[in-house]
Amino acid sequence: MRKFLNDNFKYILIGIGTVVLYILLMDLMTPSNGMSKEDLKKIEQIDKDINLLIESQKKLDESINEYKKEIEKIDSTISNIKVKKEVVNNYYEQKGKEIKDADVTQVDSLLRLRYKF
């Protein structure tokens, strides 16, 4: 066995060297992103968190839109009330002018009709 190793020592070293060189070349040629598995897990977790935030933002946007619709309804109601208030104010202004310009009999008949006495 010793004689065999001494005679074939060169060939054995060449074989081992070739295998080591092949392994090194394959390691260099294999594309890797340079990240460890821990980094990949962290990135995946961050991606999941971002997706959760996007979903919650969508829900918030929907609720904001609902509130905007309610606000628009309330604003339209308020504007209707303002218009009605102006109409009533104009009516009573007109009646006040009529009373100022009316003579005693007209005021008397107006009060009798209004208060029924």
Side-chain angles (χ1 to χ4, degrees), residues 23-31:
I23 291 172
L24 288 174
L25 283 175
M26 287 306 292
D27 188 41
L28 291 174
M29 300 289 256
T30 304

PDB file of all heavy atoms in Angstrom, residues 23-31:
ATOM      1  N   ILE A  23     -14.929  22.566  -6.911  1.00  0.00           N
ATOM      2  CA  ILE A  23     -15.845  23.068  -5.874  1.00  0.00           C
ATOM      3  C   ILE A  23     -15.724  24.582  -5.751  1.00  0.00           C
ATOM      4  O   ILE A  23     -16.734  25.290  -5.663  1.00  0.00           O
ATOM      5  CB  ILE A  23     -15.567  22.367  -4.529  1.00  0.00           C
ATOM      6  CG1 ILE A  23     -15.978  20.897  -4.601  1.00  0.00           C
ATOM      7  CG2 ILE A  23     -16.297  23.066  -3.393  1.00  0.00           C
ATOM      8  CD1 ILE A  23     -15.569  20.079  -3.400  1.00  0.00           C
ATOM      9  N   LEU A  24     -14.524  25.099  -5.761  1.00  0.00           N
ATOM     10  CA  LEU A  24     -14.327  26.548  -5.666  1.00  0.00           C
ATOM     11  C   LEU A  24     -14.917  27.270  -6.874  1.00  0.00           C
ATOM     12  O   LEU A  24     -15.564  28.321  -6.727  1.00  0.00           O
ATOM     13  CB  LEU A  24     -12.839  26.884  -5.527  1.00  0.00           C
ATOM     14  CG  LEU A  24     -12.203  26.547  -4.184  1.00  0.00           C
ATOM     15  CD1 LEU A  24     -10.696  26.795  -4.233  1.00  0.00           C
ATOM     16  CD2 LEU A  24     -12.829  27.367  -3.081  1.00  0.00           C
ATOM     17  N   LEU A  25     -14.702  26.721  -8.062  1.00  0.00           N
ATOM     18  CA  LEU A  25     -15.261  27.339  -9.273  1.00  0.00           C
ATOM     19  C   LEU A  25     -16.786  27.319  -9.255  1.00  0.00           C
ATOM     20  O   LEU A  25     -17.426  28.302  -9.634  1.00  0.00           O
ATOM     21  CB  LEU A  25     -14.733  26.639 -10.526  1.00  0.00           C
ATOM     22  CG  LEU A  25     -13.308  26.995 -10.932  1.00  0.00           C
ATOM     23  CD1 LEU A  25     -12.862  26.146 -12.114  1.00  0.00           C
ATOM     24  CD2 LEU A  25     -13.200  28.469 -11.263  1.00  0.00           C
ATOM     25  N   MET A  26     -17.373  26.233  -8.809  1.00  0.00           N
ATOM     26  CA  MET A  26     -18.839  26.135  -8.749  1.00  0.00           C
ATOM     27  C   MET A  26     -19.384  27.143  -7.729  1.00  0.00           C
ATOM     28  O   MET A  26     -20.431  27.757  -7.948  1.00  0.00           O
ATOM     29  CB  MET A  26     -19.282  24.718  -8.378  1.00  0.00           C
ATOM     30  CG  MET A  26     -19.088  23.718  -9.506  1.00  0.00           C
ATOM     31  SD  MET A  26     -19.867  24.216 -11.055  1.00  0.00           S
ATOM     32  CE  MET A  26     -21.559  24.094 -10.610  1.00  0.00           C
ATOM     33  N   ASP A  27     -18.664  27.316  -6.617  1.00  0.00           N
ATOM     34  CA  ASP A  27     -19.105  28.273  -5.614  1.00  0.00           C
ATOM     35  C   ASP A  27     -19.038  29.703  -6.162  1.00  0.00           C
ATOM     36  O   ASP A  27     -19.932  30.523  -5.905  1.00  0.00           O
ATOM     37  CB  ASP A  27     -18.230  28.145  -4.363  1.00  0.00           C
ATOM     38  CG  ASP A  27     -18.757  28.989  -3.220  1.00  0.00           C
ATOM     39  OD1 ASP A  27     -20.000  29.020  -3.038  1.00  0.00           O
ATOM     40  OD2 ASP A  27     -17.951  29.628  -2.522  1.00  0.00           O
ATOM     41  N   LEU A  28     -18.010  29.992  -6.914  1.00  0.00           N
ATOM     42  CA  LEU A  28     -17.878  31.330  -7.500  1.00  0.00           C
ATOM     43  C   LEU A  28     -18.880  31.559  -8.629  1.00  0.00           C
ATOM     44  O   LEU A  28     -19.357  32.681  -8.830  1.00  0.00           O
ATOM     45  CB  LEU A  28     -16.453  31.554  -8.021  1.00  0.00           C
ATOM     46  CG  LEU A  28     -15.362  31.666  -6.958  1.00  0.00           C
ATOM     47  CD1 LEU A  28     -14.000  31.737  -7.629  1.00  0.00           C
ATOM     48  CD2 LEU A  28     -15.589  32.895  -6.105  1.00  0.00           C
ATOM     49  N   MET A  29     -19.178  30.540  -9.383  1.00  0.00           N
ATOM     50  CA  MET A  29     -20.065  30.683 -10.543  1.00  0.00           C
ATOM     51  C   MET A  29     -21.550  30.675 -10.162  1.00  0.00           C
ATOM     52  O   MET A  29     -22.367  31.168 -10.917  1.00  0.00           O
ATOM     53  CB  MET A  29     -19.805  29.552 -11.544  1.00  0.00           C
ATOM     54  CG  MET A  29     -18.398  29.528 -12.067  1.00  0.00           C
ATOM     55  SD  MET A  29     -18.106  30.879 -13.147  1.00  0.00           S
ATOM     56  CE  MET A  29     -18.157  30.041 -14.686  1.00  0.00           C
ATOM     57  N   THR A  30     -21.868  30.117  -9.026  1.00  0.00           N
ATOM     58  CA  THR A  30     -23.268  30.041  -8.605  1.00  0.00           C
ATOM     59  C   THR A  30     -23.717  31.439  -8.170  1.00  0.00           C
ATOM     60  O   THR A  30     -23.101  32.055  -7.298  1.00  0.00           O
ATOM     61  CB  THR A  30     -23.438  29.067  -7.432  1.00  0.00           C
ATOM     62  OG1 THR A  30     -22.910  27.799  -7.805  1.00  0.00           O
ATOM     63  CG2 THR A  30     -24.903  28.929  -7.049  1.00  0.00           C
ATOM     64  N   PRO A  31     -24.788  31.917  -8.807  1.00  0.00           N
ATOM     65  CA  PRO A  31     -25.249  33.253  -8.425  1.00  0.00           C
ATOM     66  C   PRO A  31     -25.926  33.216  -7.052  1.00  0.00           C
ATOM     67  O   PRO A  31     -26.739  32.350  -6.766  1.00  0.00           O
ATOM     68  CB  PRO A  31     -26.261  33.620  -9.510  1.00  0.00           C
ATOM     69  CG  PRO A  31     -26.738  32.317 -10.038  1.00  0.00           C
ATOM     70  CD  PRO A  31     -25.590  31.355  -9.884  1.00  0.00           C
TER      71      PRO A  31
END
